Amino acid sequence: MKYAILTLSWLVAGCVTQVALIDASGNASHFSVNPASRTVSGAIDGKAYSGSYVTNQSTWRPMFTESKGRSFQPAAWTSPGTSGQALLFASDGANLRCDFGYQGLTVMGQCHGSHGASYVLTTDAPP
């Protein structure tokens, strides 16, 4: 049982990844992304933002009908997608709207804040 809990903890922790929002002066703010719940959270200059994201991933479930009129679904196919959008809010109502593309574990995109600032969104942030 102890090993099952440790394994589950490791799997859940492994699902969270990091992205960075880089402002025009090169300052990076790091955000956590949880693919299991499709949520994002982090802070820019001490102001916390959190929200969710969607991607263009899709699942197709074909329906076949035999000559005798019986219908069946043999499988489901999932298209992995390549782009997404995120919407994050701070407690004071400020927001960030992000559009991004991804391939594997690499994410690149652009975020715009309601306060007028723009950010580069990336998984390849400088240290």
Side-chain angles (χ1 to χ4, degrees):
M1 179 67 169
K2 178 171 69 170
Y3 294 112
I5 292 171
L6 288 174
T7 302
L8 181 59
S9 299
W10 177 76
L11 287 172
V12 170
C15 290
V16 176
T17 190
Q18 298 287 315
V19 295
L21 273 66
I22 304 170
D23 65 18
S25 62
N27 297 321
S29 300
H30 298 279
F31 281 67
S32 296
V33 178
N34 187 331
S37 62
R38 293 190 180 260
T39 57
V40 183
S41 61
I44 298 175
D45 295 329
K47 183 186 285 193
Y49 289 87
S50 64
S52 58
Y53 70 92
V54 295
T55 64
N56 67 340
Q57 176 179 334
S58 62
T59 301
W60 178 56
R61 297 182 186 275
M63 178 67 77
F64 296 100
T65 304
E66 293 179 339
S67 60
K68 296 181 181 181
R70 292 181 288 182
S71 297
F72 64 98
Q73 288 181 310
W77 289 277
T78 300
S79 167
T82 57
S83 65
Q85 296 177 324
L87 182 57
L88 312 173
F89 290 96
S91 61
D92 66 358
N95 64 67
L96 293 168
R97 297 169 318 282
C98 304
D99 294 304
F100 59 90
Y102 63 93
Q103 184 173 7
L105 297 176
T106 302
V107 176
M108 289 185 224
Q110 194 78 31
C111 294
H112 301 283
S114 57
H115 53 283
S118 292
Y119 302 91
V120 171
L121 171 66
T122 184
T123 49
D124 297 326

